[in-house]
Amino acid sequence: MAGSAAPAPGALLCALLWAAAAAGGGPGGSPAPAAFGRVYRGAVNISAERVYAFAYRSEPGQVDAVRVYVNSSSENLRYPVLFVVRQQKGVLSWQVPLIFRGLYQRTYNYQEVSRTLCPSEPTPETRPSDQIIFVDVASMAPFNIAYELLVTRLENFQLETNRAFNFTASPSQPQYFLYKFPQDVDSVIINVVSDAAYPCSVVSVQDIVCPVYDLDHNVEFNGVYQSMTKQAAITVQRKDFPGEQFFVVFVIKPEDYACGGSVPSSIHGNANRTWNLQRTKSLQVTIVPSIKKSVYVQAMFFSFLGFLSFYLGSVVVAFVHYIRVQRKASAGRLSPEHGSGIMTSSHPISASTPEGSSYGAIDESSSSGGRQMSSPEHRPPAGSDTDSSVEEESDFDTMPEIESDKNIIRTKVFLYLSDLSRKDRRIVSKKYKIYFWNIITIAVFYALPVIQLVITYQTVVNVTGNQDICYYNFLCAHPLGVLSAFNNILSNVGHMMLGFLFLLIVLRRDILHRRAMEMKDIYTLDYGIPKHFGLFYAMGIALMMEGVLSACYHVCPNYSNFQFDTSFMYMIAGLCMLKLYQTRHPDINASAYSAYASFAVVICLAVLGVVFGKNDMWFWVVFSIIHVLASLALSTQIYYVGRFKMDGPDSDLGIFRRAVMVLYTDCIQQCSRPMYMDRMVLLIVGNLVNWSFAIFGLVYRPRDFASYILGIFICNLLLYLAFYIIMKLRSSEKLLPIPMFCIVATAVVWAAALYFFFQTLSSWEETPAESREKNRPCILLGFFDDHDVWHFLSAAALFFSFLVLLTLDDDLDTVRRDKIPVF
């Protein structure tokens, strides 16, 4: 046997000699005293094995770690060399060649192996203690197999706070180190970086328990772990480790598919061959203290007080408005007659129409005739908005059939609000109240299973320790209780608080409107935009539920539950478009049942997109066809002001055929100017935008299908809002200071919010390891990241957007409805 014995402590030397004598001496079974740091070369076979004994002295309170390096030039898998390391409280064994199994049972063998032995626990004794390690080398081969052995004591086994440590590792040479919590630190973040993305690696945090799981096939058995390419971060709390210390384990995987890489091309088709791959990776680990409890309190105060300032601002605005109303009332200027001449100037859209095209224009006599049904003599008292049942309504039109002139009115070139607000106010008001009650029911039935599911997700993460399940920004994920990223949940409080504030603002307007109806019946009924608040209440509930469901999604963000974060965004965008349309089309807007049924179809498509939208071309073809046909059908309904029905006994089953015939007659055969030019321009632009989305989806097939649908909704909403504001200004209507401020605030806040939204911090479209490459540190109070700022700003932006819709037409409150154009 190569090598010579090293000096050993007296007591250990006697023990070794006694063991050698008991074993009968000789290389076949006697332990030979050996020295640390010296290479021993030898050969073993079925009748010759080697035993080495390493002795060392451990100082009081010191943790000593020993690393064993072995090598064998043999690639004979039938007769491997077996290494067994015996310690005082454990045994560690492996073979050389060391075999790893990969995807589809591919095998990889390594002739060089090094392992760190589980360190001895510090003894409470005040004097040094002696330790012995036996290394047995054996083989069942009938011939000699050469090997090399090197045993060393690790000098840098314990990691220090705020100090970077560099090292290398490979699949057969894993590494792990010890970290002890300082006295004043309750939580730390383990930052691991590498210049190379591959080979794929795993970072694990394990308790001080032997054995340490440091191989690819068992690293997931204990503790918390993450896969890694270039970056990983794990937050560790003192309370999770009673001993106030833990191991940080680094394992290199034999293949890269788990991190998004591909299997080496040389292995394709060779499932059972072995390969001695060189997969060494350089890593740097730094352990830094995490935030203190005071930062949690500071962040909570910031979140709640920041949004409570919106409440304070609303109270100030309401108080100023109250003072102004009182002053006007004392001056006798509150009567609508004094302001009814604001819009009595020239024709509201005459600037956009040539002479001679005024067919169907409404004069004072016709307008007054059209208002006979709405006069106070034929209406119930203003305050009689009871809960009595109303007649059944269709999806798009509830105008009583006895009004035989409805189609004549709607075919006029110039429509006024009085033409489309002819129904009984009680019926229309009850129709829009259904939006509010239905969305509450939907919210309850949707949110409860979501909450149950994300709690299960979080429980699985906590129990298994698999941090690849959830796509957090691990460099800024602050745990609280069982939650892994409390900051991402806390930042959604703005949606809930501002949604509730919007409900209070709408409630105040509703109460003031009811009082005005009781005081001045005729003016309230025949002036300004009809006040129906059901959709506004539904929008406030939707904003609050967006905060709840976004918080649920961020409990464990991943590919499967991203739809939770977007479902109520679809509803918010849809409700805003419906409200914008209802403003000047109160009699022909969609019913709550058809609207929510449409949202349900969209959410179903979103679910199908999550399942089939990755690579299935057939799904994108079907979805694009549905998208285009829905755009055409909705365009036809809007262009003809709801005169085409797609259900019921009078349904126009040939709606698409009729639309094609009208297009051919007006645009090709006669090439005449469209009757409703403004609406035609809007619908052409809208269809071009939607067809572009459909083509984009067919060509690129984005994996984030939920965001793709949300983009369609938002673009259509912005397009319609821009059209509405442009037409309002073209009609010589005003923008009062409050809606003007809300429009500017909406634009500014949305611009800032989108900037932070596109600062991608994670992506479940990639593997967890690749997603962590995008992780960034906190940017606000040391607690919130870019996405949290997006939550704050988007909540404020949605709130201002709602206020725009609520106050946009306040300038028309003193204008007669037969002077308010429809567009």
Side-chain angles (χ1 to χ4, degrees):
M1 180 178 63
S4 60
L12 287 181
L13 184 58
C14 293
L16 291 177
L17 293 176
W18 179 86
S30 60
F36 288 100
R38 183 173 181 179
V39 178
Y40 293 90
R41 296 180 177 87
V44 291
N45 56 47
I46 191 172
S47 60
E49 65 178 80
R50 296 291 185 267
V51 181
Y52 298 86
F54 296 86
Y56 63 94
R57 179 161 292 178
S58 179
E59 298 297 330
Q62 177 181 343
V63 178
D64 291 290
V66 175
R67 191 166 180 85
V68 180
Y69 167 85
V70 297
N71 178 27
S72 175
S73 59
S74 173
E75 295 186 6
N76 192 327
L77 299 180
R78 186 176 180 183
Y79 298 109
V81 181
L82 306 179
F83 292 87
V84 179
V85 181
R86 292 174 288 159
Q87 297 176 266
Q88 182 178 351
K89 292 185 177 180
V91 176
L92 181 66
S93 63
W94 65 89
Q95 69 178 49
V96 177
L98 183 62
I99 299 175
F100 293 94
R101 294 192 179 275
L103 194 63
Y104 306 122
Q105 298 302 313
R106 293 183 175 89
T107 57
Y108 305 87
N109 70 307
Y110 291 83
Q111 281 72 42
E112 298 181 3
V113 180
S114 64
R115 305 283 298 277
T116 300
L117 305 183
C118 194
S120 59
E121 299 178 2
T123 60
E125 301 176 3
T126 57
R127 59 182 181 179
S129 61
D130 297 327
Q131 303 289 334
I132 304 176
I133 298 175
F134 293 99
V135 180
D136 300 351
V137 186
S139 176
M140 299 297 291
F143 48 85
N144 287 338
I145 299 179
Y147 67 89
E148 290 184 356
L149 171 67
L150 173 65
V151 180
T152 59
R153 297 180 67 178
L154 297 180
E155 300 294 335
N156 298 307
F157 181 67
Q158 185 168 335
L159 300 175
E160 299 181 10
T161 307
N162 291 322
R163 182 178 177 181
F165 180 73
N166 297 280
F167 60 96
T168 60
S170 71
S172 62
Q173 300 181 32
Q175 298 269 16
Y176 65 87
F177 304 95
L178 175 70
Y179 180 79
K180 294 183 178 180
F181 281 98
Q183 291 298 325
D184 57 341
V185 176
D186 295 324
S187 178
V188 295
I189 300 177
I190 304 171
N191 293 327
V192 187
V193 295
S194 176
D195 294 333
Y198 300 108
C200 177
S201 54
V202 175
V203 181
S204 173
V205 176
Q206 302 179 21
D207 200 359
I208 307 296
V209 177
C210 295
V212 178
Y213 298 99
D214 61 348
L215 292 178
D216 174 60
H217 66 273
N218 63 16
V219 69
E220 301 176 358
F221 290 177
N222 187 27
V224 178
Y225 61 91
Q226 295 179 2
S227 58
M228 171 189 166
T229 52
K230 289 186 175 182
Q231 180 173 259
I234 300 178
T235 300
V236 183
Q237 301 182 82
R238 181 196 292 264
K239 66 179 183 63
D240 296 330
F241 295 93
E244 299 183 353
Q245 56 186 349
F246 55 83
F247 289 135
V248 185
V249 184
F250 303 91
V251 174
I252 309 300
K253 299 185 75 67
E255 293 179 340
D256 295 329
Y257 69 89
C259 294
S262 58
V263 178
S265 58
S266 59
I267 296 181
H268 286 296
N270 299 280
N272 296 318
R273 294 186 61 181
T274 58
W275 301 83
N276 189 21
L277 301 179
Q278 301 298 323
R279 292 172 59 84
T280 301
K281 187 169 186 175
S282 297
L283 300 164
Q284 181 185 83
V285 57
T286 308
I287 301 181
V288 297
S290 185
I291 61 174
K292 297 183 180 296
K293 294 180 180 178
S294 59
V295 180
Y296 282 83
V297 177
Q298 182 181 0
M300 291 182 192
F301 272 106
F302 171 82
S303 301
F304 285 97
L305 293 179
F307 289 105
L308 283 175
S309 63
F310 283 81
Y311 284 74
L312 179 60
S314 300
V315 171
V316 171
V317 172
F319 179 75
V320 172
H321 180 265
Y322 173 78
I323 297 298
R324 293 182 61 186
V325 169
Q326 292 300 319
R327 289 179 179 176
K328 289 184 178 181
S330 61
R333 297 166 52 196
L334 197 61
S335 177
E337 293 102 322
H338 294 85
S340 60
I342 293 178
M343 294 297 297
T344 57
S345 57
S346 60
H347 199 284
I349 52 177
S350 59
S352 62
T353 56
E355 293 183 3
S357 61
S358 59
Y359 171 79
I362 304 176
D363 56 17
E364 283 292 316
S365 60
S366 62
S367 296
S368 61
R371 294 195 313 273
Q372 286 180 357
M373 293 185 58
S374 302
S375 61
E377 298 86 80
H378 294 82
R379 291 189 180 186
S384 62
D385 189 11
T386 63
D387 293 333
S388 59
S389 59
V390 296
E391 59 182 288
E392 191 67 28
E393 306 165 358
S394 66
D395 286 346
F396 287 92
D397 191 2
T398 59
M399 183 174 286
E401 292 301 325
I402 59 173
E403 300 178 25
S404 58
D405 63 338
K406 68 173 183 176
N407 283 328
I408 299 177
I409 292 174
R410 298 184 195 175
T411 52
K412 295 176 180 178
V413 178
F414 303 120
L415 283 174
Y416 292 88
L417 188 57
S418 59
D419 300 321
L420 296 180
S421 58
R422 299 160 57 86
K423 299 180 182 178
D424 191 305
R425 184 187 56 80
R426 294 178 307 160
I427 296 178
V428 178
S429 180
K430 295 177 94 48
K431 170 183 176 180
Y432 291 121
K433 280 184 179 179
I434 299 176
Y435 277 95
F436 172 66
W437 294 112
N438 278 11
I439 200 170
I440 291 180
T441 305
I442 293 170
V444 172
F445 279 91
Y446 192 91
L448 290 180
V450 168
I451 294 173
Q452 180 182 4
L453 179 62
V454 296
I455 290 176
T456 302
Y457 267 115
Q458 184 67 74
T459 303
V460 170
V461 172
N462 295 340
V463 171
T464 65
N466 183 4
Q467 295 199 353
D468 284 352
I469 296 176
C470 306
Y471 286 73
Y472 303 115
N473 175 18
F474 288 91
L475 289 178
C476 187
H478 302 297
L480 181 66
V482 298
L483 301 174
S484 299
F486 174 70
N487 54 301
N488 294 149
I489 299 172
L490 177 63
S491 58
N492 285 283
V493 69
H495 294 87
M496 291 175 272
M497 293 184 66
L498 294 184
F500 184 71
L501 175 59
F502 184 74
L503 289 177
L504 294 179
I505 294 173
V506 174
L507 177 62
R508 175 182 175 274
R509 285 210 164 204
D510 194 359
I511 294 174
L512 292 177
H513 176 64
R514 290 176 182 271
R515 291 178 180 174
M517 289 171 58
E518 295 173 357
M519 295 173 60
K520 296 179 290 294
D521 190 22
I522 184 172
Y523 301 124
T524 304
L525 294 174
D526 292 332
Y527 285 79
I529 301 295
K531 308 296 184 185
H532 303 296
F533 296 98
L535 273 170
F536 284 127
Y537 285 122
M539 290 161 57
I541 296 295
L543 181 56
M544 295 179 66
M545 288 307 303
E546 172 58 27
V548 172
L549 293 178
S550 178
C552 290
Y553 163 70
H554 284 92
V555 170
C556 182
N558 58 53
Y559 182 80
S560 300
N561 60 16
F562 179 65
Q563 59 180 333
F564 302 158
D565 195 20
T566 56
S567 295
F568 270 80
M569 287 298 294
Y570 305 148
M571 301 185 72
I572 288 174
L575 289 173
C576 287
M577 285 188 283
L578 286 172
K579 181 58 193 177
L580 206 56
Y581 188 77
Q582 178 234 4
T583 301
R584 308 211 181 203
H585 307 77
D587 286 354
I588 61 173
N589 205 16
S591 70
Y593 304 113
S594 59
Y596 288 130
S598 302
F599 297 152
V601 172
V602 171
I603 294 176
C604 288
L605 289 174
V607 173
L608 293 176
V610 170
V611 178
F612 301 107
K614 294 181 180 180
N615 301 309
D616 295 324
M617 187 63 185
W618 66 266
F619 170 80
W620 286 98
V621 172
V622 172
F623 174 77
S624 298
I625 293 175
I626 295 175
H627 185 190
V628 171
L629 292 179
S631 299
L632 290 174
L634 185 60
S635 300
T636 306
Q637 288 289 329
I638 293 175
Y639 185 76
Y640 290 103
V641 202
R643 294 197 315 280
F644 281 174
K645 292 184 179 180
M646 290 178 284
D647 59 356
D650 300 324
S651 61
D652 293 292
L653 300 178
I655 179 173
F656 296 108
R657 179 176 59 84
R658 186 174 302 186
V660 171
M661 292 182 62
V662 169
L663 181 67
Y664 173 77
T665 304
D666 292 348
C667 300
I668 299 178
Q669 190 176 37
Q670 299 179 359
C671 196
S672 60
R673 186 176 184 276
M675 181 178 296
Y676 313 111
M677 177 57 71
D678 295 317
R679 265 179 272 167
M680 178 61 73
V681 171
L682 168 67
L683 295 175
I684 289 177
V685 175
N687 277 274
L688 289 176
V689 169
N690 283 278
W691 296 351
S692 299
F693 268 103
I695 295 173
F696 175 83
L698 280 174
V699 174
Y700 294 99
R701 298 196 297 276
R703 292 188 62 186
D704 190 353
F705 185 76
S707 295
Y708 170 77
I709 294 183
L710 184 59
I712 295 174
F713 271 86
I714 292 178
C715 284
N716 281 275
L717 173 59
L718 293 177
L719 180 65
Y720 190 24
L721 180 61
F723 168 80
Y724 189 94
I725 294 176
I726 291 172
M727 292 301 299
K728 181 178 178 67
L729 297 177
R730 284 186 60 197
S731 303
S732 301
E733 297 178 9
K734 296 180 179 179
L735 288 177
L736 297 181
I738 290 182
M740 178 62 74
F741 168 79
C742 292
I743 291 174
V744 174
T746 299
V748 172
V749 178
W750 268 124
L754 291 175
Y755 169 79
F756 289 100
F757 175 77
F758 289 110
Q759 303 299 311
T760 307
L761 304 179
S762 62
S763 175
W764 45 255
E765 297 181 24
E766 301 172 332
T767 63
E770 292 173 322
S771 172
R772 272 186 279 275
E773 294 182 23
K774 299 178 172 62
N775 290 176
R776 297 181 188 175
C778 305
I779 64 170
L780 181 62
L781 302 178
F783 191 84
F784 298 110
D785 59 19
D786 297 76
H787 197 73
D788 295 323
V789 178
W790 149 255
H791 287 162
F792 291 138
L793 294 179
S794 64
L798 285 171
F799 176 72
F800 283 124
S801 302
F802 288 3
L803 291 182
V804 170
L805 298 181
L806 183 64
T807 62
L808 187 58
D809 290 314
D810 283 354
D811 60 304
L812 303 179
D813 285 346
T814 55
V815 180
R816 295 175 63 91
R817 291 179 185 172
D818 57 0
K819 304 298 182 183
I820 301 177
V822 172
F823 39 79

